[in-house]
């Protein structure tokens, strides 16, 4: 089976209602602003806390599930025209840097350039809201210093700062960001390994104290393809052709196809603890592959992308809530990507069905906890951005496809 039924639930038969979606966005923004504290930022949600974490302490800081991500989401929603904020949160960005250093602790020097957990996105947000030459110079140093990072994945390693360089180049047009993008891409190319068993290229990730062969959309191979695909205009013609051939071969050779549906294992070495691991969420599974590959030129992988979308629909919404990383909103983005790629309205209908289900999930969870979940990738502000894309039939995955304001 291509997914674990215990992780999913039937999609509630709620008709698409644009007014309800807009109201949900406003409710999320209003509650998020109301819960902000200059001292503690936002309360930690029980689903984001590790065992032993004290929810009464200051919230996390990172882009992924902390204050940086929430500040980014609020200003991004305003830039889209989806919300009008009661204030600018720019003064709260720079003070996150020492707090993030404390949060990373002994790992700070290793991980400070991390795109989802480190200082890089905090400085990017600062450069968006209050641009300054010294901030850009600090970003340049972080990205350059991360090129040789052995983690080789989006969350912690050089693929994340490859994405940062691309976003900065799109925002400014400055040559230094294009140069850093090319240098990082060249290093990643030199680090590719060949699997005789699977007849494809891959990377290993030195992460969490061990080596892995992740394929997924956060830690793995396909996550790295996303900025390469979107930044292909910065590469030479022959260089991009080699990348495209490599990407297409690895994606096809690692796919698991059953009855017109497709998914991918979390790791190239698919057996872990004696069993094959197949999940169906953005961070591990078919939805993330569709999202990361949707801008790939040509039609070589179209059959797999459509089969992956079908598998995502068959699995249904996730029980982990409406969030982007491992929830209903993230899976729904696969449908939006396929709608933009194919023009087939079926995919927009499916995305909107997941949106209405996700609204119900968000409302039910808020009723249980008495407040919402303040996180970009794992909480409600990220889901609000998904709702906006469902209203407009667009597909700009937050901080993966867009960073510096409305595209």
């Amino acid at each position: 089976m291509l997914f674990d039924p215990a992780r999913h639930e039937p999609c509630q038969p709620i008709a698409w209602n644009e007014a309800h979606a807009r109201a949900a966005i406003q409710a999320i923004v209003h509650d998020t602003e109301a819960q902000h504290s200059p001292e503690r930022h936002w309360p930690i949600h029980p689903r984001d806390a590790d065992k032993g974490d004290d929810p009464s302490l200051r919230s996390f800081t990172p882009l992924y599930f902390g204050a940086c991500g929430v500040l980014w989401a609020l200003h991004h929603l305003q830039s889209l025209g989806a919300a009008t904020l009661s204030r600018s949160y720019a003064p709260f960005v720079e003070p996150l840097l020492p707090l993030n250093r404390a949060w990373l602790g002994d790992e700070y020097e290793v991980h400070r350039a991390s795109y989802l957990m480190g200082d890089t996105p905090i400085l990017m947000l600062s450069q968006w809201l209050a641009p300054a030459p010294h901030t850009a110079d600090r970003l340049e140093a972080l990205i350059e210093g991360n090129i040789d990072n052995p983690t080789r994945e989006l969350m912690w390693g050089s693929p994340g700062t490859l994405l940062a360089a691309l976003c900065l180049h799109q925002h400014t047009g400055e040559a230094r960001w294009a140069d850093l993008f090319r240098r990082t891409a060249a290093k990643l190319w030199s680090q590719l390994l060949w699997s005789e068993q699977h007849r494809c290229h891959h990377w290993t990730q030195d992460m969490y104290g061990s080596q892995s062969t992740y394929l997924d959309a956060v830690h793995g191979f396909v996550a790295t393809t996303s900025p390469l695909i979107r930044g292909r205009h910065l590469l030479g013609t022959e260089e991009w052709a080699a990348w495209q051939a490599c990407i297409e071969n690895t994606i096809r050779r690692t796919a698991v196809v059953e009855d017109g549906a497709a998914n991918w294992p979390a790791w190239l070495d698919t057996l872990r603890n004696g069993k094959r691991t197949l999940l169906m969420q953005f961070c591990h599974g078919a939805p993330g592959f569709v999202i990361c590959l949707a801008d790939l030129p040509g039609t070589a992988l179209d059959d797999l992308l459509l089969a992956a979308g079908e598998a995502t629909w068959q699995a249904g919404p996730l029980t982990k809530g409406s969030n982007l990383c491992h929830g209903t909103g993230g899976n729904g983005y696969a449908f939006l990507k396929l709608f933009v790629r194919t023009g087939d309205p079926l995919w927009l209908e499916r995305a909107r069905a997941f949106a209405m289900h996700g609204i119900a999930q968000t409302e039910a969870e808020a009723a249980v906890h008495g407040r919402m979940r303040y996180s970009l990738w794992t909480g409600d502000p990220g889901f609000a951005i998904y709702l906006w894309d469902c209203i407009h039939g667009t597909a700009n995955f937050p901080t993966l496809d867009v960073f510096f304001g409305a595209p």
Side-chain angles (χ1 to χ4, degrees), residues 4 7 16 27 43 71 77 81 89-90 113 117 150 165 185 187 194 212 214-215 249 268 354 357 359 365 379:
D4 180 358
R7 294 174 175 266
W16 168 248
L71 295 174
L77 284 163
Y89 291 88
M117 298 295 196
K187 175 60 70 170
W194 176 258
S212 303
Y214 279 107
L215 296 170
N249 182 62
L268 184 66
F354 269 39
H357 185 99
I359 291 172
E365 186 138 316

Side-chain angles (χ1 to χ4, degrees), residues 32-323:
T32 302
E33 286 207 279
Q35 291 286 343
H36 180 253
S37 162
E39 296 77 26
R40 294 181 57 250
H41 300 296
W42 284 275
I44 299 171
H45 195 275
R47 285 185 182 262
D48 289 323
D50 289 329
K51 187 176 181 181
D53 283 341
D54 184 351
S56 67
L57 298 179
R58 184 188 299 273
S59 69
F60 302 131
T61 45
L63 179 70
Y64 176 73
F65 65 164
C68 175
V70 180
L71 295 174
W72 181 89
L74 289 173
H75 280 278
H76 182 65
L77 284 163
Q78 180 165 261
S79 79
L80 291 169
T84 301
L85 302 181
S86 63
R87 64 185 300 179
S88 169
Y89 291 88
F92 300 103
V93 178
E94 282 279 343
L96 292 178
L97 289 167
L99 299 175
N100 200 56
R101 180 172 192 147
W103 181 77
L104 285 169
D106 293 341
E107 298 295 313
Y108 175 74
E109 290 301 326
V110 177
H111 295 314
R112 62 185 180 140
S114 164
Y115 182 66
L116 290 182
M117 298 295 196
D119 289 353
T120 296
I122 299 173
L123 290 169
M124 290 172 69
L125 181 57
S126 179
Q127 187 66 0
W128 176 26
L129 301 181
H134 71 274
T135 304
D137 292 344
R138 291 164 73 186
L139 279 164
E140 183 179 12
L142 276 178
I143 295 170
E144 184 167 27
N146 204 45
I147 291 175
D148 292 318
N149 191 315
T151 309
R152 290 182 285 271
E153 53 84 70
L154 183 74
M155 179 174 278
W156 301 102
S158 62
T161 41
L162 175 79
L163 174 58
L166 175 62
C167 292
L168 285 157
H169 183 263
Q170 291 173 331
H171 183 54
T172 68
E174 291 182 14
R176 58 173 160 175
W177 308 121
D179 178 63
L180 284 168
F181 180 90
R182 295 187 190 102
R183 288 169 57 195
T184 307
K187 175 60 70 170
L188 285 165
W189 179 265
S190 74
Q191 294 170 331
L192 280 165
L193 301 176
W194 176 258
S195 168
E196 283 293 339
Q197 178 184 356
H198 299 283
R199 306 297 297 170
C200 68
H201 287 95
H202 66 101
W203 287 285
T204 57
Q205 299 88 24
D206 294 339
M207 183 172 56
Y208 305 140
S210 63
Q211 282 203 339
S212 303
T213 58
Y214 279 107
L215 296 170
D216 62 50
V218 172
H219 297 309
F221 181 91
V222 78
T224 304
T225 69
S226 180
L228 288 166
I229 292 167
R230 289 178 43 240
R232 61 188 183 275
H233 60 286
L234 299 176
L235 303 174
T237 302
E238 292 184 3
E239 186 180 3
W240 167 246
W243 271 117
Q244 183 165 0
C246 170
I247 291 166
E248 290 173 354
N249 182 62
T250 295
I251 298 303
R252 185 162 295 281
R253 288 189 176 276
T254 54
V256 181
V257 181
E258 295 179 3
D259 300 324
N263 199 1
W264 284 262
W267 303 277
L268 184 66
D269 49 337
T270 56
L271 290 179
R272 286 292 176 104
N273 300 320
K275 62 180 181 180
R276 185 177 70 178
T277 302
L278 284 175
L279 301 176
M280 189 67 70
Q281 54 201 42
F282 171 81
C283 55
H284 298 295
F289 279 71
V290 174
I291 291 163
C292 291
L293 296 167
D295 293 328
L296 185 73
T299 60
L301 295 181
D302 278 9
D303 60 323
L304 284 179
L305 296 180
L306 292 169
E310 189 59 40
T312 304
W313 177 252
Q314 290 175 11
L318 285 143
T319 60
K320 287 188 174 182
S322 62
N323 69 85

